Amino acid sequence: MEVSVIGSSSQAKICKTELAYRDLRFCFGKNNDKSKILSRKPNSVCFESQTARFRKARLRFTLEAVHSEAVLESKSSTGSNSLDKVRLFVGLPLDTVSDCNTVNHARAIAAGLKALKLLGVEGVELPVWWGVVENEAMGKYGWSGYLAVAEMVQKADLKLHVSLCFHASRQPKIPLPKWVMQIGESQSSIFFRDRSGQHYRESLSLAVDDLAVLNGKTPIQVYHDFCASFKSAFSPFIGSTIMGISMGLGPDGELRYPSHHKPAKSDKITGIGEFQCYDLNMLNLLKQHAEANGNPLWGLGGPHDAPTYHQSPNSNNFFRDHGGSWESPYGDFFLSWYSNELISHGNRLLSLASSIFGDTAVNVYGKVPLMYSWYKTRAHPCELTAGFYNTASRDGYEAVAQMFARNSCKIILPGMDLSDAHQPHESLSSPELLLAQIRTACGKHKVQVSGQNLASGAPGSFQQIKKNMLGENVLDLFTYQRMGAHFFSPEHFPSFTEFVRSLSQPELHSDDLLAEEEEATESVHTSSDANIQMQAA
């Protein structure tokens, strides 16, 4: 079968493809899930009910049986904003590998990889969970499921970006390793704790980084051994298929405190969060710092006049724009200590990753959150509780960028799909201004920036992503989150297809006008060979 994909001013003929009785449904949910593109028919591939949507996206599929080898033709105009200058990745499902170390939805993922390759996507991002690989006992690693995925990606001729996740996930539910949770049952101080005494059990407190709390080893030593084992197990892929590795730095893999771990109600404006400095080991660090600075009374705990998770900045005195305690000598003392501990934690982990992978061809990344709510206030409370001492009078991202530069690491920034126009006015938010501030700090210290989106298919999101991808400061790469039932649904996938097409071909070609009048071929009958091989530039 010869596949021609025509969109905008480009045409590519994709190589001979042999299909047999293969289930190629993009189905990441139940078998009767309506959000699928491909369906099962003997000796056929079918794009269900996509004709109108693909016409709208100016895509035309022409399928015909051939016996020749791969042929690639392209008539594309290359401009300064072409796709070859923007490395585009798509995130794989969070639960790609199960807790039994098997690949979930293997057929759907394999079909999805081929579709992404056909579109011109460069690679995929794979979350690798500490709680899956080293679940049963310290030092006992199970890489088989993730190795299987790496082989699938390699066979699809895509690149792979690996995210090493030393945190837990709520949805889907992926806890920390069993042996770590067992330690936490008797030593809850290994977890963060808030002012009310509630522990956050989805990542370890940064205060135990260098304490031998994990069966005689420190978390840093355990992370080091995990990374070293990964490097050994995936050596055949590193530098060829695997080109980038993200080091997990905290909750959700991000460099931050879990200041917003209590989910807000959907009809509520995001609150300011809470300081996470009340576990035994954080309090010990605070006490030592206060005594060293000659103010022992300042080391008894966090700010007493700070609001709670879902409250607004003016609910108490600490974050008030005028006369708030954050501007007092005590406020500066506490916020400096709190943010410095976070940056020191990031430095330890990125330094570890750089030391292990520095002799390979992969790039090391770390993720920094976009805490944009209440950015238009003077105090920037969401950033302060998350650990970034950034206010209207102080740039809190200079030190962060310096830390990344010191370790020769690249930074990942989420939220590149968000615009100020779609934020609730009363939240005083500005994702655009905050993103610009962080990117400016990174540019100053020559730290390369990569991007991610936060929501999938929100209004105006693709236009906003393009704006951030193709601006003056070109991104290192962009990872679209995340593959699954919604990603391949009729409501979303044509829009993503149009987005990818528009990156490489921003101007329409006259040939594309024909696409408005043609329908996609619904199926193709081919030989009985069960192997599927699709290649695209």
Side-chain angles (χ1 to χ4, degrees), residues 471-515:
E472 292 183 2
N473 300 319
V474 178
L475 296 179
D476 173 59
L477 69 86
F478 183 86
T479 304
Y480 190 86
Q481 304 292 10
R482 179 173 297 276
M483 188 189 288
H486 171 71
F487 180 83
F488 286 113
S489 69
E491 293 74 29
H492 178 268
F493 191 66
S495 298
F496 179 77
T497 300
E498 167 67 9
F499 163 67
V500 177
R501 181 205 61 79
S502 70
L503 291 176
S504 57
Q505 304 297 335
E507 298 298 330
L508 292 178
H509 191 278
S510 58
D511 290 349
D512 295 316
L513 297 177
L514 296 174

Side-chain angles (χ1 to χ4, degrees), residues 409-485:
C409 294
K410 301 183 180 183
I411 196 169
I412 298 173
L413 300 177
M416 292 201 168
D417 55 327
L418 303 179
S419 63
D420 290 2
H422 290 92
Q423 303 306 311
H425 176 73
E426 56 270 29
S427 70
L428 298 176
S429 302
S430 183
E432 294 185 54
L433 290 177
L434 177 54
L435 187 60
Q437 181 187 351
I438 301 175
R439 293 182 74 171
T440 297
C442 290
K444 179 178 178 180
H445 296 283
K446 296 180 171 57
V447 175
Q448 285 190 294
V449 176
S450 297
Q452 292 181 359
N453 57 312
L454 280 178
S456 181
S461 60
F462 286 122
Q463 291 81 357
Q464 191 66 24
I465 292 171
K466 273 188 66 175
K467 176 182 175 182
N468 284 312
M469 289 175 72
L470 305 177
E472 292 183 2
N473 300 319
V474 178
L475 296 179
D476 173 59
L477 69 86
F478 183 86
T479 304
Y480 190 86
Q481 304 292 10
R482 179 173 297 276
M483 188 189 288

Side-chain angles (χ1 to χ4, degrees), residues 151-187:
E151 290 177 1
M152 292 170 65
V153 174
Q154 185 182 62
K155 288 179 180 178
D157 195 25
L158 292 167
K159 299 300 182 183
L160 183 61
H161 185 106
V162 173
S163 297
L164 301 179
C165 304
F166 297 106
H167 62 283
S169 169
R170 292 184 180 180
Q171 188 61 40
K173 185 172 178 57
I174 305 173
L176 294 179
K178 290 180 181 177
W179 62 275
V180 173
M181 297 303 292
Q182 289 172 356
I183 294 173
E185 290 176 4
S186 58
Q187 300 180 49

Side-chain angles (χ1 to χ4, degrees), residues 88-252:
L88 181 62
F89 279 56
V90 172
L92 291 174
L94 292 174
D95 62 346
T96 294
V97 175
S98 71
D99 55 5
C100 298
N101 236 308
T102 58
V103 181
N104 286 324
H105 321 297
R107 286 186 175 183
I109 288 177
L113 294 177
K114 292 175 176 63
L116 294 179
K117 181 65 179 179
L118 186 66
L119 281 179
V121 172
E122 180 172 331
V124 291
E125 176 258 341
L126 173 65
V128 173
W129 296 93
W130 186 24
V132 171
V133 175
E134 196 179 1
N135 190 35
E136 296 297 332
M138 183 171 65
K140 183 180 179 181
Y141 307 106
W143 297 108
S144 59
Y146 292 110
L147 285 167
V149 175
E151 290 177 1
M152 292 170 65
V153 174
Q154 185 182 62
K155 288 179 180 178
D157 195 25
L158 292 167
K159 299 300 182 183
L160 183 61
H161 185 106
V162 173
S163 297
L164 301 179
C165 304
F166 297 106
H167 62 283
S169 169
R170 292 184 180 180
Q171 188 61 40
K173 185 172 178 57
I174 305 173
L176 294 179
K178 290 180 181 177
W179 62 275
V180 173
M181 297 303 292
Q182 289 172 356
I183 294 173
E185 290 176 4
S186 58
Q187 300 180 49
S188 60
S189 59
I190 67 173
F191 301 117
F192 286 108
R193 180 182 168 184
D194 62 19
R195 187 168 55 184
S196 65
Q198 181 181 8
H199 288 94
Y200 177 79
R201 299 178 183 271
E202 294 171 30
S203 67
L204 298 181
S205 169
L206 59 80
V208 300
D209 278 354
D210 292 318
L211 300 181
V213 295
L214 299 180
N215 294 338
K217 285 191 174 184
T218 69
I220 292 294
Q221 290 173 326
V222 172
Y223 300 152
H224 179 280
D225 293 346
F226 184 95
C227 292
S229 177
F230 171 86
K231 180 182 179 182
S232 175
F234 288 82
S235 57
F237 302 97
I238 291 177
S240 54
T241 298
I242 299 175
M243 304 304 295
I245 294 175
S246 293
M247 187 67 177
L249 303 177
D252 296 328

Side-chain angles (χ1 to χ4, degrees), residues 310-325:
H310 303 314
Q311 292 182 317
S312 66
N314 291 324
S315 299
N316 215 325
N317 187 61
F318 190 83
F319 295 115
R320 291 187 186 277
D321 262 2
H322 301 286
S325 302

Side-chain angles (χ1 to χ4, degrees), residues 22-28 30-32 36-40 48 107-109 111:
R22 302 281 297 206
D23 184 351
L24 292 180
R25 286 177 298 177
F26 290 108
C27 184
F28 291 82
K30 299 180 180 179
N31 288 336
N32 61 354
K36 63 187 179 184
I37 287 184
L38 301 182
S39 70
R40 187 183 202 174
E48 290 188 347
R107 286 186 175 183
I109 288 177

Side-chain angles (χ1 to χ4, degrees), residues 255-296:
L255 180 66
R256 63 176 174 87
Y257 292 98
S259 54
H260 284 81
H261 67 82
K262 284 188 175 182
K265 296 180 180 179
S266 58
D267 59 340
K268 298 290 184 181
I269 299 299
T270 301
I272 51 87
E274 274 197 24
F275 293 112
Q276 305 291 310
C277 60
Y278 293 92
D279 63 79
L280 178 62
N281 298 296
M282 284 293 287
L283 288 174
N284 285 339
L285 292 175
L286 178 58
K287 179 183 178 187
Q288 294 169 16
H289 185 67
E291 292 174 348
N293 282 271
N295 292 291

